[in-house]
Amino acid sequence: MSTSVARLSTEATSVEFVGDSVRVLLADGREISAPLAWSPRLRDASDAQHANWRLIGRGGGVHWPDLDEDVSVNSLLGLPTRACGRKGAASRVTVETIRQALLC
């Protein structure tokens, strides 16, 4: 009997906006979604501004140049990000910590 192990990846491959949420698609097939209310710049942006994005850091994040907005995959997953000053220290993941990570 063989067992396959799924390889998880935090590399973003695509972004889409669905209703009041931003959805980031990952290379391993997962989808991460967050409410636009957590990012006022994305919430208030036009469809054209939403459409103008690019991957940064080898898929580690998404940048919207028209908005000067960056969102990291780690922040969406509630993982520590160095840009937020949490240098690798694990913390309890809550809705509030995810919201703070999105806004850092």
Side-chain angles (χ1 to χ4, degrees), residues 52-79:
N52 185 21
W53 59 269
R54 66 182 177 91
L55 297 174
I56 55 175
R58 297 182 193 164
V62 183
H63 175 68
W64 285 268
D66 296 343
L67 306 171
D68 191 29
E69 180 76 331
D70 297 323
V71 175
S72 76
V73 172
N74 279 356
S75 68
L76 291 171
L77 291 170
L79 299 174

Side-chain angles (χ1 to χ4, degrees), residues 14-64:
S14 185
V15 176
E16 56 188 26
F17 290 84
V18 179
D20 292 333
S21 298
V22 58
R23 183 182 302 165
V24 178
L25 307 160
L26 302 182
D28 63 10
R30 289 181 294 164
E31 300 176 359
I32 309 167
S33 182
L36 290 176
W38 291 0
S39 173
R41 290 179 184 172
L42 291 176
R43 179 196 63 214
D44 297 339
S46 68
D47 289 342
Q49 290 171 315
H50 283 168
N52 185 21
W53 59 269
R54 66 182 177 91
L55 297 174
I56 55 175
R58 297 182 193 164
V62 183
H63 175 68
W64 285 268

